[in-house]
Every structure is written in C-alpha cells, then in structure tokens.
Amino acid sequence: RSPSRGLGDVYKRQRLVGLDAQQNLCFVLAENPSPEVTGDAEIIEISEAVDWFQQSCDILKQAGGYALHIDYGYTSGSGDTLQAQRAHAMENIFANVGKADLTAHVNFAELTGRAESLAHPVADLGHFLTILGLPTHAMRTRAKANPQQQAAIDNAVARLLSPNQMGSLHKVLILSTDELPTPAGVAEKNLKAA
C-alpha cells in the first residue's frame, strides 16, 4: 500500500494499482466513488500518517514537551506528490518496484490544523537552519578542513539552504506545550512564519 491514496476526477474515485493490457503495473480508478472524500482539487492525497501524527499530538499534550518534524512538503495547495526515488533521483513509480523508495509530500497545513495550540508556524528548512547558525558553524568547520572537505561542506550547506534544493522544499514544524519557551529557529505560536 502506498503512503497516500490519490483520488481523482469529479466523482472522487480512489486511484488504485492495477495492470494494463500488457500486464504492466499502472494506476486504475476504483469503480465506485469515495463519498468520504471532499475537496475541489483534481487529486486529493490522504495520508494514513495523519492518524499517527494526531496520536503523537495527544501524547504531547498529556506529557508536555517539544516535537520536531522535518520533511519535504507544502503549506498550501494540493496535488499528486506520490513519487519514487532511487539513488537520489526520481523515477516512474512502477519502473523498479521493490528497489525504489515510495514517498509523498507532507501537507503541513493539515498537520498544523490537527496540532491546534501546539503548533508553531511552519518554517522553511533553510530559514530554520540559518537562524540556528548553520552558515557560521560551516565556516568554522571549513577553516579546519582540507580542500576536498571544504568542497563537501560547501555542497552540503548549499543543498540544505538553497531555495532550489532542500531550503524551501523541506519544512520544519515544531510543536510545544504552552508552559515551554518558544524554541530557537521558529516564530511564536501566534505569529506568522517568516
């Protein structure tokens, strides 16, 4: 079973995996509509991980503390984000079944809605790591490194901070109970993210 169920067309039918005429894996639509699914988007992804997230929020409310969530995702919109990745490259999800990782983007807007009063505004990873001092730490580490290590540090920092790479695609969601101070790198709960 994939991490999310894509639903398509005006009748919101569940998208399933089936076989085409040549007996290759492909997407097919379920015969019957899924009435429990609402929304205007052409494709709506429903993640079963949201139930786990809700349970973790309930535990955090009872126990107190912080939770840090970092993943690639979005804060608005919807769409078909189901993808296969192998050797750091995207590929057709049916190309190498069992050899590629299947994943989907996280809907951070849905998570913050479920987290209610626990959620701080979602931040881009690049902003979060910059506030925490990654560029300064990288410069200090780079000063003690050989040329090959310096290049590796430069590449890693660029990948983490660049808006065209992980810097904007990856999001940070921090949850905390009210008695705790706002953690570094994120805005207070009642403020919008930078």
Side-chain angles (χ1 to χ4, degrees), residues 74-90:
Y74 55 94
T75 55
S76 64
S78 62
D80 185 2
T81 69
L82 179 64
Q83 58 189 296
Q85 291 194 3
R86 187 166 67 108
H88 302 289
M90 289 179 46

Side-chain angles (χ1 to χ4, degrees), residues 5-45:
R5 295 177 287 150
L7 302 170
D9 80 23
V10 295
Y11 300 106
K12 303 293 187 234
R13 294 186 292 164
Q14 187 170 352
R15 187 169 67 169
L16 308 170
V17 175
L19 296 173
D20 64 16
Q22 292 78 37
Q23 298 300 300
N24 296 314
L25 293 172
C26 67
F27 285 121
V28 297
L29 292 176
E31 291 183 24
N32 298 317
S34 299
E36 72 278 1
V37 177
T38 59
D40 294 331
E42 184 176 334
I43 293 189
I44 299 169
E45 291 182 334

Side-chain angles (χ1 to χ4, degrees), residues 19-148:
L19 296 173
D20 64 16
Q22 292 78 37
Q23 298 300 300
N24 296 314
L25 293 172
C26 67
F27 285 121
V28 297
L29 292 176
E31 291 183 24
N32 298 317
S34 299
E36 72 278 1
V37 177
T38 59
D40 294 331
E42 184 176 334
I43 293 189
I44 299 169
E45 291 182 334
I46 301 170
S47 174
E48 295 173 1
V50 172
D51 295 334
W52 169 86
F53 180 80
Q54 185 65 59
Q55 291 173 2
S56 70
C57 288
D58 294 342
I59 292 168
L60 187 62
K61 286 177 187 175
Q62 292 174 2
Y66 294 99
L68 171 65
H69 300 273
I70 300 175
D71 210 333
Y72 48 93
Y74 55 94
T75 55
S76 64
S78 62
D80 185 2
T81 69
L82 179 64
Q83 58 189 296
Q85 291 194 3
R86 187 166 67 108
H88 302 289
M90 289 179 46
E91 61 181 35
N92 181 300
I93 67 166
F94 301 120
N96 290 291
V97 175
K99 297 178 183 172
D101 293 327
L102 294 181
T103 186
H105 290 206
V106 174
N107 180 342
F108 279 95
E110 182 176 4
L111 296 186
T112 52
R114 288 186 177 250
E116 300 167 344
S117 65
L118 295 171
H120 291 269
V122 175
D124 287 346
L125 179 64
H127 173 79
F128 178 73
L129 293 175
T130 299
I131 296 294
L132 291 181
L134 176 64
T136 302
H137 179 70
M139 284 189 330
R140 288 182 187 146
T141 304
R142 194 178 186 286
K144 301 173 191 170
N146 65 42
Q148 185 178 2

